[in-house]
Amino acid sequence: MKITFGILAHVDAGKTTFSEQILYQEKVIRTLGRVDSQTACLDHDEIEKTRGITIFSDMACYTHNDNTYYLVDTPGHVDFSAEMERTLEIMDYAILVVNGSDGVQGHTETIWKLLERYQIPVFLFINKLDIPTASYELIVKELKNQLSDRILDFQDMNFKNGMEGTFTDDLIDNVSELDEGLVDEWLEGTMSYEDMKPSLLTQIKKRRLFPCFGGSALKGAGLYEFLTAFYELAQTSYETSDVFRGRVFKIRYDEQQERMTYLKVLSGSVKVRDIVSETEKIHQIRLFRGEKFTTATEATAGDVVAVTGLISTVAGQGLGACQTRENPYLYPALQARVQYPPDIPDQTVLRIFHMLEEEDPSLKAEWEESLQQLKVNVMGRIQLEVLEETVLRKYQVPVTFGNPEVVYMETVKEPVCGYGHFEPLRHYAEVALRIEPAPRGEGITFKSECHVDRLGINYQNLIRTHVFETVHKGILTGSSLTDVKIVLIDGISHIKHTEGGDFREAVYRAIRQGLMKADNLLLEPYYRFSLSIPDTLAGKLLNDITRRNGVYEAPVMDGSGRCVVTGTGPVSSFMNYGEELLMMTGGRAGISMNFSHYDICHNQDEVVASYHYNADADVKNPSCSVFCQKGTSFVVNWDKAEDYMHTLR
């Protein structure tokens, strides 16, 4: 078997230490690395060593009982959660590490939602039980209450024939959902482990059972028992004889600035010199263990490798017969201006940030020509600090950033049709699209209702490509369009004059023309927060949350004079709330905040007015159409264009 498993956790839960212990016990490394001593195998980047946190996902490959395992260590800090999310698409299983003292944190809940979204089976390990304030039983109870009642204590179970006496009634109740006869065998004392193993594996694989263990990664306590169960209960099956399908999950430039595409082979195989992305050929296949790697001539289904030679791949992209792409759940909620010395050419800085954007697509580096400035999207201030260090160390260019601002997005309230026509001399394309509102967080999706007798499938596929190849701007603030379904309802080509770029122009103009007519909505990012406060300050702080347009759930008293308040609030109102809360309460209150979702902006009119965006003046995003009559081209404004459309005649 080949199994890819990721280690995930809230920051400071001991995730990297846990990963080090696995690699040490499997003899991948000779000595245990430590985060605090900057010797961790998977935190080998200089910035990771200095800061003592995982910033980049990293992996190591090893074998156990003739099976191949790919361990992926992911960032735990909220600011680098987009990097964590990109690795989820390649995971067969996840190990969620929870701090035995702190329990379920805000980011723990975010990780759990992501694991549910990507339907990844989960094992849990409650860490740091060597600390006096830690409690395995209390944390298990908290996990069941806040994450899932399907989390079961596996701590003292032994999964071997003859050790059935270590099983619990809760376990039998769970696995008997697939095989009712197991209950009778259990009560009669005739049930064997081999009898219930298929149901047990299925329940874990289908995310209807989440095994939970505990111990101390630092001291190695509980790791042997955990791994013994994990190796027994995690199983996969990959088809090597099928056609090649692969999933890109990371782009990285090495110290020699060679571009590496990290991918997982989902089926079939891929070899050196194979062409897998347009006309690009694989030059080298690398198997990594931290910063060290070995080369191979072939990778088969289930393998996770880095390849060189591909220059146009992007994270999340499918290769070969795999063409699907998942929209990310986590979005950067903040944007900051890049500042650099005037003697450094703009193009130099643009090139650097475009390379960084390849490694982290969530940056969305954008040059604003009218203001002559570069902006990047980020999760938080720590990410900005790391970007400063990265640019200086890798490219010897000093940069700083302006104060972070909120990243807004736009969508439509009701369905609207948009029309685009592009017909300068010897060119021709016309597109009719319906733009429909989609559920929050779904991004942009595409569907065709146009019959192939009306427009060939090759042009329909081209239109689909053009829908996704750029960021479409809304007309309220010029922010990115999201949460819409774009439906192709009609299109016309010319047997002689239509070229590929013609449909690009028609698609862009059709989307823009539809937005100009639509009832548009501004969306803003919201944080999910967890507030720990003294009971005596509860009334004051709840009023403060309401004043900031936040909403909260009923406070939960912990019996020690404090309470926990959870809720959501606009990033614009809560961006600096952590620092303000410290000053307001004299350090007696604490808050953790994570990006939650985008929703309708609470002060749309105010924000739109502050942007001063003129959609008609945005020449890079035209809503007009270009027609041709008697050999002469002419432009028709969006509000008159439908009178000329051929699809409406």
Side-chain angles (χ1 to χ4, degrees):
M1 290 189 304
K2 295 177 182 177
I3 296 179
T4 304
F5 66 98
I7 316 296
L8 303 100
H10 184 276
V11 68
D12 292 332
K15 172 184 52 58
T16 299
T17 304
F18 183 87
S19 301
E20 290 287 314
Q21 275 287 0
I22 294 177
L23 298 180
Y24 178 70
Q25 293 198 19
E26 294 298 337
K27 298 181 173 53
V28 177
I29 54 178
R30 295 182 179 180
T31 57
L32 273 171
R34 289 282 298 270
V35 175
D36 52 6
S37 61
Q38 302 183 10
T39 56
C41 169
L42 298 179
D43 282 354
H44 52 79
D45 185 271
E46 287 302 319
I47 300 175
E48 290 180 314
K49 291 179 179 180
T50 303
R51 289 183 171 269
I53 59 173
T54 301
I55 296 171
F56 309 104
S57 60
D58 221 327
M59 65 181 184
C61 173
Y62 65 90
T63 58
H64 180 92
N65 290 342
D66 296 325
N67 296 322
T68 301
Y69 292 87
Y70 292 95
L71 182 157
V72 183
D73 186 29
T74 65
H77 197 285
V78 175
D79 281 17
F80 308 103
S81 50
E83 171 88 358
M84 176 267 294
E85 183 181 3
R86 285 190 288 275
T87 67
L88 298 183
E89 291 188 23
I90 67 161
M91 290 184 190
D92 298 309
Y93 290 87
I95 298 173
L96 180 59
V97 181
V98 181
N99 190 319
S101 291
D102 298 339
V104 177
Q105 302 292 295
H107 193 47
T108 313
E109 295 186 43
T110 300
I111 293 171
W112 189 261
K113 289 178 182 177
L114 285 169
L115 293 170
E116 181 178 10
R117 174 187 173 93
Y118 289 93
Q119 287 296 292
I120 301 173
V122 185
F123 288 74
L124 296 96
F125 187 85
I126 300 175
N127 193 25
K128 300 190 178 184
L129 293 182
D130 53 322
I131 298 176
T133 55
S135 170
Y136 179 77
E137 292 75 16
L138 288 177
I139 301 301
V140 170
K141 183 178 179 181
E142 185 179 343
L143 289 167
K144 291 170 74 74
N145 288 336
Q146 297 191 40
L147 302 184
S148 172
D149 59 5
R150 292 279 181 162
I151 295 173
L152 296 186
D153 179 8
F154 271 47
Q155 185 78 324
D156 297 317
M157 297 189 205
N158 194 325
F159 296 95
K160 292 181 181 178
N161 282 325
M163 300 301 294
E164 292 82 3
T166 64
F167 299 162
T168 65
D169 291 340
D170 285 343
L171 176 65
I172 303 304
D173 286 343
N174 183 287
V175 297
S176 63
E177 290 180 359
L178 297 180
D179 186 351
E180 295 180 359
L182 290 173
V183 175
D184 295 332
E185 293 181 21
W186 172 251
L187 294 175
E188 294 167 3
T190 59
M191 190 199 75
S192 70
Y193 168 57
E194 291 301 323
D195 291 336
M196 58 93 73
K197 183 177 179 179
S199 296
L200 176 58
L201 296 179
T202 300
Q203 290 292 77
I204 294 173
K205 191 75 172 177
K206 289 188 173 181
R207 288 179 44 86
R208 294 188 58 79
L209 175 59
F210 305 102
C212 185
F213 302 81
S216 168
L218 183 62
K219 297 183 177 179
L223 264 293
Y224 174 80
E225 293 77 9
F226 173 85
L227 288 174
T228 300
F230 178 74
Y231 293 143
E232 176 70 16
L233 302 176
Q235 294 192 3
T236 61
S237 176
Y238 284 97
E239 184 54 64
T240 57
S241 60
D242 205 348
V243 296
F244 168 68
R245 294 168 58 248
R247 172 74 68 193
V248 177
F249 68 98
K250 184 169 70 168
I251 305 296
R252 185 63 49 83
Y253 286 86
D254 63 16
E255 293 299 325
Q256 287 72 45
Q257 296 303 303
E258 185 163 24
R259 191 179 193 270
M260 297 181 292
T261 297
Y262 286 74
L263 62 93
K264 180 171 183 175
V265 183
L266 302 176
S267 67
S269 63
V270 65
K271 299 178 181 178
V272 172
R273 291 188 293 278
D274 278 356
I275 297 174
V276 297
S277 179
E278 298 181 354
T279 59
E280 297 169 5
K281 187 181 296 184
I282 292 178
H283 294 165
Q284 190 179 63
I285 298 175
R286 300 178 179 181
L287 294 169
F288 272 89
R289 287 185 176 180
E291 61 183 331
K292 299 178 180 178
F293 67 87
T294 56
T295 60
T297 58
E298 181 181 22
T300 59
D303 283 330
V304 183
V305 297
V307 302
T308 63
L310 309 183
I311 61 173
S312 64
T313 46
V314 295
Q317 174 185 349
L319 296 176
C322 177
Q323 295 299 321
T324 59
R325 184 172 182 180
E326 194 81 39
N327 290 319
Y329 174 79
L330 300 176
Y331 291 92
L334 302 174
Q335 188 178 66
R337 178 185 175 187
V338 184
Q339 301 168 329
Y340 47 93
D343 60 325
I344 297 178
D346 295 336
Q347 288 302 320
T348 298
V349 179
L350 273 170
R351 181 181 58 82
I352 290 171
F353 275 89
H354 283 150
M355 292 174 69
L356 293 173
E357 185 180 351
E358 288 185 83
E359 298 184 338
D360 182 0
S362 68
L363 284 177
K364 295 187 184 301
E366 180 181 5
W367 176 259
E368 293 188 5
E369 185 66 35
S370 60
L371 300 176
Q372 290 291 294
Q373 66 181 24
L374 176 66
K375 286 187 175 182
V376 294
N377 292 357
V378 292
M379 293 286 188
R381 293 182 182 276
I382 300 299
Q383 186 182 5
L384 289 177
E385 294 175 8
V386 168
L387 279 172
E388 288 183 14
E389 296 177 44
T390 300
V391 174
L392 183 61
R393 181 174 62 85
K394 292 181 69 173
Y395 305 104
Q396 293 76 53
V397 174
V399 299
T400 57
F401 295 91
N403 290 327
E405 303 170 352
V406 171
V407 176
Y408 293 95
M409 303 183 87
E410 298 185 32
T411 190
V412 297
K413 187 176 182 180
E414 296 175 344
V416 64
C417 289
Y419 300 88
H421 188 97
F422 187 69
E423 192 187 359
L425 192 62
R426 297 187 180 88
H427 292 267
Y428 187 97
E430 181 167 307
V431 172
L433 304 171
R434 186 171 66 250
I435 305 171
E436 303 175 353
R440 295 286 173 261
E442 197 161 289
I444 296 177
T445 58
F446 177 85
K447 176 184 177 182
S448 176
E449 293 179 356
C450 181
H451 198 280
V452 292
D453 289 344
R454 179 68 169 173
L455 185 66
I457 192 66
N458 58 322
Y459 284 129
Q460 293 195 32
N461 289 335
L462 195 59
I463 289 170
R464 176 195 295 269
T465 298
H466 295 324
V467 166
F468 292 112
E469 71 186 358
T470 190
V471 176
H472 300 283
K473 288 190 173 185
I475 57 101
L476 297 176
T477 62
S479 300
S480 301
L481 180 68
T482 190
D483 296 349
V484 294
K485 177 189 284 188
I486 296 180
V487 182
L488 173 63
I489 54 178
D490 202 358
I492 306 176
S493 63
H494 191 282
I495 193 169
K496 182 178 180 181
H497 295 312
T498 299
E499 298 179 0
D502 298 344
F503 272 106
R504 175 184 290 110
E505 291 289 340
V507 167
Y508 290 3
R509 293 165 192 270
I511 292 174
R512 191 72 169 178
Q513 196 262 354
L515 294 179
M516 295 297 286
K517 300 185 298 179
D519 187 356
N520 295 277
L521 292 174
L522 189 67
L523 303 178
E524 69 176 331
Y526 282 74
Y527 281 138
R528 173 97 181 150
F529 60 79
S530 179
L531 192 62
S532 175
I533 57 179
D535 293 347
T536 55
L537 295 177
K540 176 182 178 181
L541 294 180
L542 293 180
N543 287 334
D544 194 45
I545 291 172
T546 302
R547 182 179 63 82
R548 294 171 182 267
N549 295 287
V551 294
Y552 55 85
E553 297 155 18
V556 178
M557 308 299 175
D558 67 2
S560 64
R562 298 182 68 82
C563 64
V564 176
V565 180
T566 57
T568 58
V571 170
S572 58
S573 304
F574 284 81
M575 190 189 312
N576 301 313
Y577 195 43
E579 294 89 338
E580 295 174 23
L581 193 65
L582 286 174
M583 297 177 62
M584 288 168 55
T585 65
R588 290 182 292 164
I591 189 170
S592 63
M593 294 184 292
N594 303 93
F595 168 78
S596 174
H597 64 286
Y598 269 83
D599 213 333
I600 296 173
C601 181
H602 75 281
N603 59 339
Q604 174 169 316
D605 292 343
E606 179 184 336
V607 174
V608 171
S610 70
Y611 264 69
H612 304 292
Y613 179 70
N614 184 347
D616 287 318
D618 190 344
V619 295
K620 286 194 172 183
N621 296 276
S623 55
C624 57
S625 281
V626 181
F627 293 86
C628 186
Q629 193 172 48
K630 297 180 179 180
T632 303
S633 297
F634 60 98
V635 176
V636 179
N637 201 39
W638 67 268
D639 55 342
K640 304 293 184 183
E642 290 176 32
D643 296 338
Y644 294 81
M645 292 293 166
H646 299 170
T647 55
L648 294 175
R649 291 179 181 176

